[in-house]
Amino acid sequence: MNVVFVNPDHPEQPLTLTEQPDPRPGPTQIVVDVKAAGVNRADLLQRRGLYPPPPDESDILGLEIAGDVLAVGEKVHDFRIGERVFGLVAGGGYAEQCLLDHRLAHRIPDDRSYVWAAALCEIGYTANENLFHHGRLQTGESVLIHAGASGVGSAAVRMAALRDCRVLTTTSTETKQAFCRTLGAETVIPYKTRSFVEVVRAAGGVDVILDFVGAAYLSDNLKSLKQGGRLVVVGLLGGRKGELDLSLVLRKNLSITGSVLRARTLAEKIAVKGRFCAGWQEAIDNDDFRPHVFQTFPLSQAEAAHACMRDNQHHGKIVLTRDESPPSPQAPDRN
Ligand SMILES: NC(=O)c1ccc[n+]([C@@H]2O[C@H](COP(=O)([O-])OP(=O)(O)OC[C@H]3O[C@@H](n4cnc5c(N)ncnc54)[C@H](OP(=O)(O)O)[C@@H]3O)[C@@H](O)[C@H]2O)c1
């Protein structure tokens, strides 16, 4: 039987551990014996009923996994039973077994851990897709990345710095500010005590903004963009409905765009994976680009992992493991 976490009936209730039949692979799917699963902000939203799974997808929490191949569908010829794999799923990650389409699977390099692998896809795909594909960020341009110490934000800061962009970012605490600097941010704005728009305008504005806050930042984001600037919205932590000064859009020739990952079609996700690998495989192999894992929790302590994320105590990623050893702070990135 497959042991999984299901959503409680009410968001205030703890996650519920239950048993379900083992998943059976469709023709193009792999059954993964999950060793580690990434925790994402979206998981917190899903349990509050704000981010339902797409139709026909698992309603079990968990959007990214790493583990061993247990079984493969009849059309899967590129992965063998026992291989170590990781990848993006539309749900089902908080479980002992999870289905993964083989076209979204990556092999885990011998010198990398399940924890490393479970932390890579959501942040890597989201940051690459929105900075470089939708935001069209070019080497030498400037970018403001909000919540630079978040999982996705930290990946975006690192990627933009590796592309020799000038990176400005916002975050709350001194620890998180120092973390953003280690990733390559040139200017770190303590947004709780300083207005980010003042700092960014004093610096001459930015070409691209990657935003997770939405409505609360809309007006200041537009004021922070240079002529021809691009605002890419990927999160709505500060609300979904804002007031838009269209005269700024016209006068500065601005573009506003955004995207989600989970609800995209399989074909689109395969394309997203392809763009990520094309852009970053070399940096991943030589360890220039890697997820920073703040803390691991045993799967049975998913509730505590959620509390850590909800309280914004972390920077980088939080990962659940099947290993039942106690929560480990600052797990080594490669272990
Ligand atoms: N569209 C997509 O494809 C996609 C994919 C993945 C994630 N996302 C979104 O990206 C965002 C980050 O996800 P994540 O998993 O990386 O999150 P995370 O690691 O939990 O980090 C979120 C951070 O945002 C900051 N924050 C929280 N509430 C805020 C608010 N109201 N105003 C300003 N800052 C706030 C906090 O950092 P400080 O302490 O520095 O304030 C917090 O630690 C989420 O909104 C998520 O839904 C979107």
Side-chain angles (χ1 to χ4, degrees), residues 39-42 45 122-123 126 130 147 149-153 170-173 176 191-192 212-213 217 234-238 259-261 309 312 314 316:
V39 176
N40 288 282
R41 204 82 185 178
L45 297 176
E122 269 286 327
I123 63 172
T126 305
N130 290 289
S150 65
V152 178
T170 57
T171 191
S172 60
T173 66
K176 293 185 182 187
Y191 73 96
K192 293 206 165 169
F212 310 107
V213 179
Y217 280 5
V234 293
L236 300 169
L237 293 169
S259 76
V260 292
L261 193 50
M309 179 170 275
N312 295 326
H314 68 299

Coordinates of all heavy atoms in Angstrom, one line a residue, residues 39-42 45 122-123 126 130 147 149-153 170-173 176 191-192 212-213 217 234-238 259-261 309 312 314 316, ligand 1:
V39 N 9.2 20.9 -0.9 CA 8.0 21.6 -0.4 C 7.9 23.0 -1.1 O 9.0 23.6 -1.3 CB 8.2 21.9 1.1 CG1 7.0 22.7 1.7 CG2 8.3 20.5 1.9
N40 N 6.7 23.3 -1.5 CA 6.6 24.6 -2.3 C 5.4 25.4 -1.7 O 4.5 24.9 -1.0 CB 6.2 24.3 -3.7 CG 7.5 23.8 -4.5 OD1 8.3 24.6 -4.9 ND2 7.5 22.5 -4.7
R41 N 5.5 26.7 -1.9 CA 4.5 27.6 -1.4 C 3.1 27.2 -1.9 O 2.1 27.3 -1.2 CB 4.8 29.1 -1.9 CG 4.2 30.1 -1.1 CD 5.1 30.4 0.1 NE 4.5 31.4 1.0 CZ 5.1 31.7 2.2 NH1 6.3 31.2 2.5 NH2 4.6 32.6 3.0
A42 N 3.1 26.7 -3.1 CA 1.8 26.2 -3.7 C 1.2 25.1 -2.8 O 0.0 25.0 -2.8 CB 2.1 25.7 -5.1
L45 N -0.9 26.8 -0.3 CA -2.1 27.3 -0.9 C -3.1 26.2 -1.2 O -4.3 26.3 -1.0 CB -1.7 28.0 -2.2 CG -0.8 29.3 -2.1 CD1 -0.5 29.8 -3.5 CD2 -1.5 30.4 -1.2
E122 N 11.2 22.8 -9.5 CA 10.2 23.9 -9.4 C 11.0 25.2 -9.5 O 10.6 26.1 -10.2 CB 9.5 23.8 -8.1 CG 8.2 23.1 -8.2 CD 7.0 23.8 -8.9 OE1 7.0 25.1 -8.8 OE2 6.2 23.1 -9.6
I123 N 12.1 25.3 -8.8 CA 12.7 26.6 -8.8 C 13.5 26.9 -10.1 O 13.5 28.0 -10.6 CB 13.7 26.8 -7.5 CG1 14.8 25.8 -7.5 CG2 12.9 26.7 -6.2 CD1 15.8 26.1 -6.4
T126 N 10.9 27.4 -13.0 CA 10.2 28.7 -12.9 C 11.1 29.9 -13.1 O 10.7 30.8 -13.8 CB 9.5 28.7 -11.5 OG1 8.7 27.6 -11.3 CG2 8.6 30.0 -11.4
N130 N 10.6 32.2 -16.6 CA 10.1 33.6 -16.4 C 11.1 34.7 -16.6 O 10.8 35.8 -17.1 CB 9.3 33.7 -15.1 CG 8.1 32.8 -15.1 OD1 7.1 33.2 -15.8 ND2 8.1 31.7 -14.5
A147 N 11.5 38.9 -3.2 CA 11.6 37.7 -2.4 C 12.8 36.9 -2.8 O 12.7 35.7 -3.1 CB 10.3 36.9 -2.4
A149 N 15.2 35.6 -1.4 CA 15.6 34.4 -0.5 C 14.6 33.3 -0.6 O 14.8 32.3 0.1 CB 15.8 34.9 0.9
S150 N 13.5 33.5 -1.3 CA 12.5 32.4 -1.5 C 13.2 31.3 -2.3 O 14.2 31.5 -2.9 CB 11.2 32.9 -2.2 OG 11.5 33.3 -3.5
G151 N 12.5 30.1 -2.4 CA 13.0 29.1 -3.3 C 13.2 29.6 -4.7 O 14.4 29.6 -5.2
V152 N 12.1 30.0 -5.3 CA 12.2 30.5 -6.7 C 13.1 31.7 -6.8 O 13.9 31.8 -7.7 CB 10.8 30.7 -7.3 CG1 10.9 31.3 -8.7 CG2 10.0 29.5 -7.2
G153 N 13.0 32.6 -5.9 CA 13.7 33.9 -5.9 C 15.2 33.6 -5.9 O 16.0 34.2 -6.6
T170 N 14.7 42.0 -3.2 CA 14.1 42.4 -1.9 C 14.1 41.2 -1.0 O 13.8 40.1 -1.4 CB 12.7 43.0 -2.1 OG1 11.9 41.9 -2.7 CG2 12.7 44.2 -2.9
T171 N 14.3 41.4 0.3 CA 14.0 40.4 1.3 C 14.0 41.0 2.7 O 14.2 42.2 2.9 CB 15.1 39.2 1.2 OG1 14.7 38.1 2.0 CG2 16.5 39.7 1.7
S172 N 13.6 40.2 3.7 CA 13.2 40.7 5.0 C 14.4 40.8 5.9 O 14.9 41.9 6.3 CB 12.1 40.0 5.6 OG 12.5 38.6 5.8
T173 N 15.0 39.7 6.3 CA 15.9 39.7 7.5 C 17.4 39.8 7.0 O 17.7 39.6 5.8 CB 15.8 38.4 8.2 OG1 16.3 37.3 7.4 CG2 14.4 38.1 8.7
K176 N 18.7 36.7 5.5 CA 18.3 36.5 4.1 C 19.0 37.4 3.2 O 19.3 37.1 2.0 CB 16.8 36.6 4.0 CG 16.0 35.5 4.7 CD 14.5 35.7 4.5 CE 13.7 34.7 5.2 NZ 12.3 34.7 4.8
Y191 N 13.1 45.4 2.3 CA 11.8 46.0 1.9 C 10.9 46.4 3.0 O 10.0 47.2 2.9 CB 11.1 45.2 0.9 CG 10.4 44.0 1.4 CD1 9.1 44.0 1.8 CD2 11.1 42.8 1.7 CE1 8.5 42.9 2.3 CE2 10.5 41.7 2.2 CZ 9.2 41.7 2.5 OH 8.6 40.6 3.1
K192 N 11.1 45.8 4.2 CA 10.2 46.1 5.3 C 10.6 47.5 6.0 O 9.7 48.1 6.6 CB 10.3 45.0 6.4 CG 9.7 43.7 5.9 CD 9.2 42.8 7.0 CE 8.4 41.7 6.3 NZ 8.0 40.6 7.2
F212 N 6.6 38.1 -7.1 CA 5.7 37.1 -6.5 C 4.6 37.7 -5.7 O 3.9 37.0 -5.0 CB 6.6 36.2 -5.6 CG 7.8 35.7 -6.2 CD1 9.1 36.2 -5.9 CD2 7.8 34.6 -7.1 CE1 10.2 35.7 -6.5 CE2 8.9 34.2 -7.7 CZ 10.1 34.7 -7.4
V213 N 4.6 39.0 -5.7 CA 3.7 39.7 -4.7 C 2.4 40.2 -5.3 O 1.4 40.2 -4.7 CB 4.5 40.9 -4.0 CG1 3.6 41.6 -3.0 CG2 5.7 40.3 -3.3
Y217 N 2.3 45.2 -5.1 CA 3.5 45.8 -5.7 C 3.3 46.4 -7.1 O 4.2 46.9 -7.7 CB 4.6 44.8 -5.8 CG 5.4 44.5 -4.5 CD1 5.0 45.1 -3.3 CD2 6.5 43.6 -4.5 CE1 5.7 44.8 -2.1 CE2 7.2 43.4 -3.3 CZ 6.8 44.0 -2.1 OH 7.5 43.7 -1.0
V234 N 4.6 36.0 -11.2 CA 4.5 34.6 -11.0 C 3.9 34.2 -9.7 O 3.7 33.0 -9.4 CB 5.8 33.8 -11.3 CG1 6.3 33.9 -12.7 CG2 6.9 34.3 -10.3
G235 N 3.6 35.1 -8.8 CA 3.0 34.8 -7.6 C 2.1 36.0 -7.1 O 2.3 37.1 -7.6
L236 N 1.2 35.7 -6.2 CA 0.2 36.7 -5.8 C 0.2 36.7 -4.3 O -0.9 36.8 -3.7 CB -1.2 36.3 -6.4 CG -1.3 36.2 -7.9 CD1 -2.6 35.6 -8.3 CD2 -1.1 37.6 -8.5
L237 N 1.3 36.7 -3.6 CA 1.4 36.7 -2.2 C 0.8 38.0 -1.6 O 0.3 38.0 -0.4 CB 2.9 36.6 -1.7 CG 3.6 35.3 -2.0 CD1 5.1 35.4 -1.8 CD2 3.0 34.2 -1.2
G238 N 0.7 39.1 -2.4 CA 0.2 40.3 -1.9 C -1.1 40.7 -2.6 O -1.5 41.9 -2.6
S259 N 3.1 33.7 -15.7 CA 2.8 32.3 -16.1 C 2.7 31.4 -14.9 O 3.0 31.8 -13.8 CB 4.0 31.7 -17.0 OG 5.1 31.4 -16.2
V260 N 2.0 30.3 -15.1 CA 2.0 29.2 -14.1 C 2.7 28.0 -14.7 O 2.9 27.9 -15.9 CB 0.6 28.8 -13.6 CG1 -0.1 30.0 -12.9 CG2 -0.2 28.4 -14.8
L261 N 3.0 27.0 -13.8 CA 3.7 25.8 -14.3 C 2.8 24.6 -14.2 O 2.6 23.9 -15.2 CB 4.9 25.6 -13.4 CG 6.0 24.6 -13.9 CD1 6.4 24.8 -15.3 CD2 7.2 24.7 -13.0
M309 N 7.8 27.0 6.5 CA 7.6 27.9 5.3 C 6.5 29.0 5.6 O 6.7 30.1 5.2 CB 7.2 27.0 4.2 CG 6.9 27.8 2.9 SD 6.7 26.7 1.4 CE 8.4 26.5 0.9
N312 N 7.9 31.9 7.2 CA 8.9 32.6 6.5 C 10.3 32.5 7.2 O 11.1 33.4 7.1 CB 8.6 34.0 6.2 CG 7.4 34.2 5.3 OD1 7.2 33.3 4.4 ND2 6.6 35.2 5.5
H314 N 12.6 30.3 6.6 CA 13.6 29.6 5.7 C 14.1 30.6 4.7 O 13.6 31.6 4.4 CB 13.0 28.4 5.0 CG 12.0 28.8 4.0 ND1 10.8 29.5 4.3 CD2 11.9 28.7 2.6 CE1 10.1 29.8 3.2 NE2 10.8 29.3 2.2
G316 N 15.9 29.7 0.7 CA 16.1 28.6 -0.2 C 15.0 27.5 0.0 O 13.8 27.9 0.2
Ligands
LIG1 N1 4.0 30.8 -11.5 C1 4.8 29.8 -11.3 O1 5.0 29.0 -12.2 C2 5.3 29.5 -9.9 C3 6.1 28.4 -9.7 C4 6.6 28.2 -8.4 C5 6.4 29.2 -7.4 N2 5.6 30.2 -7.7 C6 5.3 31.3 -6.7 O2 6.6 31.9 -6.4 C7 6.5 32.3 -5.0 C8 7.6 31.8 -4.3 O3 7.5 30.4 -4.1 P1 8.5 29.6 -3.2 O4 8.0 28.2 -3.1 O5 9.9 29.8 -3.7 O6 8.2 30.4 -1.8 P2 9.0 30.5 -0.4 O7 10.3 29.8 -0.5 O8 8.0 30.0 0.6 O9 9.3 32.0 -0.2 C9 8.3 33.0 -0.2 C10 9.0 34.2 0.5 O10 8.3 35.4 0.0 C11 8.3 36.4 1.0 N3 6.9 36.8 1.2 C12 5.9 36.1 1.8 N4 4.8 36.8 1.8 C13 5.1 38.0 1.3 C14 4.3 39.2 1.0 N5 3.0 39.3 1.3 N6 4.9 40.2 0.5 C15 6.2 40.2 0.2 N7 7.0 39.1 0.4 C16 6.4 38.0 0.9 C17 9.0 35.8 2.2 O11 10.4 36.2 2.2 P3 10.9 37.5 3.1 O12 11.1 37.0 4.5 O13 12.1 37.9 2.4 O14 9.8 38.5 3.0 C18 8.9 34.3 2.0 O15 9.9 33.6 2.6 C19 5.1 31.9 -4.5 O16 4.2 33.0 -4.7 C20 4.7 30.8 -5.4 O17 3.3 30.6 -5.5 C21 5.1 30.4 -8.9

